[in-house]
Structure formats: C-alpha cells, structure tokens
Amino acid sequence: MVTRNTYRILIWVIVILVATNLSMGLSFWYHKQQDKKAAESVGEEVVMPSEQRTRFFRDQLNLSMEQVNDFRDLNRDYNRNARKVTDQLENLRIQMVDEMSNDEPSETVLDEISNKIGDLHAELKHLTIDYYLGMKQVCDSSQQEKLEEIFLTVSKSKEDVELPRRGRGFRGRNLN
C-alpha cells in the first residue's frame, strides 16, 4: 500500500523535473535569441548570384531603368570575357594534372602552365576591375557606397583560403 509520504515524494520529484525541463527550455530559447542578435550585429554577408546578377544589383542598389540597362550591358560583356578566361584556366589545369601524371613530368612544362595560369588569373582580375569601375560610373554616390560594400564582401569570401586548423600533434614548430 502506498503511503501519503510516497505521494508527497512523487509530487516533489515531478515538480523538480518540470522545473528543470522548463528552465532548460527557456535557456535554449534565450541562447538562440542571443545568437540571432549576434548574427544581426555582425551584418549580413552579401552573396552575389552568378545568375540574374543585374536583378541582384537592381534590388541591392535601387537602380533606375537606365542604370539597369547599363548594368546589363556591363554584365553581359564581363560574363562573355570572363567565361573565355575561365575556360582557358580549366583547360590549363587539366593539362597540368596530365603532365604531373606522366611517369617523368617536365618541370619546364609545368612552370609554363603555371605562368599561363597566373597570367590568366591576372587577366580575370583586370576584367573584374573594369566591370566594377564601369558599374561605379553608372551609380550615384550612395549607390557607390553600397556597391563597394557588396564587392568587398564578395571579394573577402572568395579570396579566403580555408586552411586546416591546428589539431593534435601541433607543437608550434615553424614548418617553412
């Protein structure tokens, strides 16, 4: 037979479990809200789409129809020229892998391919510079500020190289 004391103990255990679950739920909710606020304070990262770039700039910069047409022409020229360069880069990378896969790869050939890749990367950067400067000329001063923010965010995200993190076995040695 269950005594009155056992009921009291069970009720207190239930109250403690409910309080624990409630406090845990509130804690999760609070930390989720804090994470949202922290993400908003850092600022949104702008992701420039590869498709419909003109529409993206129209929306981000609040462009007039005349500006949209200018942007469309600049974008079309940039895409056409950049596509040629990226296709050449892809072919050179394939050539480089093919050469490295040979039984006796030629370092001279690999150096030539590497130099061509470097030259094409520089050409691609010049195309991007011309594209940016063309868009900047079309924009008013407030639009130019927003354009700068967009390009800065995009260039940071595209240029950063993911390096492995220091893990087990790292002893602070200089490996260079």
Side-chain angles (χ1 to χ4, degrees):
M1 186 155 134
V2 180
T3 64
R4 195 169 200 198
N5 237 1
T6 307
Y7 279 126
R8 283 185 184 162
I9 291 172
L10 288 175
I11 289 173
W12 278 108
V13 168
I14 292 171
V15 168
I16 290 170
L17 288 175
V18 168
T20 303
N21 286 335
L22 188 59
S23 67
M24 185 176 59
L26 289 173
S27 177
F28 282 132
W29 177 81
Y30 173 77
H31 287 292
K32 188 173 183 177
Q33 296 302 316
Q34 292 300 316
D35 290 345
K36 282 183 184 178
K37 287 180 183 176
E40 289 171 2
S41 68
V42 170
E44 293 181 15
E45 181 174 316
V46 178
V47 178
M48 189 182 331
S50 59
E51 302 294 325
Q52 300 181 352
R53 202 175 289 142
T54 303
R55 181 180 296 167
F56 168 78
F57 282 117
R58 181 195 69 198
D59 295 342
Q60 292 291 315
L61 303 175
N62 195 22
L63 300 175
S64 69
M65 282 312 293
E66 184 179 326
Q67 289 174 313
V68 168
N69 291 332
D70 291 340
F71 266 62
R72 186 173 290 120
D73 292 340
L74 289 165
N75 189 50
R76 190 174 299 126
D77 290 342
Y78 174 76
N79 286 339
R80 186 178 311 118
N81 295 326
R83 173 60 58 200
K84 289 177 189 175
V85 173
T86 55
D87 288 346
Q88 291 173 336
L89 282 167
E90 184 177 338
N91 289 333
L92 285 171
R93 288 185 190 107
I94 292 169
Q95 289 176 21
M96 183 172 66
V97 171
D98 288 345
E99 183 62 32
M100 290 188 299
S101 299
N102 288 339
D103 290 336
E104 294 182 27
S106 168
E107 288 195 32
T108 305
V109 171
L110 289 170
D111 284 343
E112 288 173 9
I113 294 172
S114 173
N115 289 335
K116 289 178 185 176
I117 289 173
D119 292 342
L120 287 173
H121 273 288
E123 184 178 339
L124 194 55
K125 293 299 177 189
H126 287 291
L127 289 171
T128 304
I129 290 167
D130 292 342
Y131 179 50
Y132 173 81
L133 293 176
M135 289 189 297
K136 184 178 175 184
Q137 284 183 329
V138 173
C139 294
D140 64 29
S141 61
S142 66
Q143 291 170 328
Q144 287 177 4
E145 289 176 21
K146 180 67 176 171
L147 181 67
E148 181 183 350
E149 289 175 26
I150 292 169
F151 263 82
L152 186 60
T153 302
V154 169
S155 68
K156 281 183 180 178
S157 66
K158 300 283 187 204
E159 296 296 326
D160 288 344
V161 176
E162 283 289 323
L163 297 175
R165 301 220 185 269
R166 294 179 178 166
R168 296 176 100 182
F170 180 79
R171 293 186 175 88
R173 294 178 296 194
N174 186 358
L175 300 177
N176 290 334

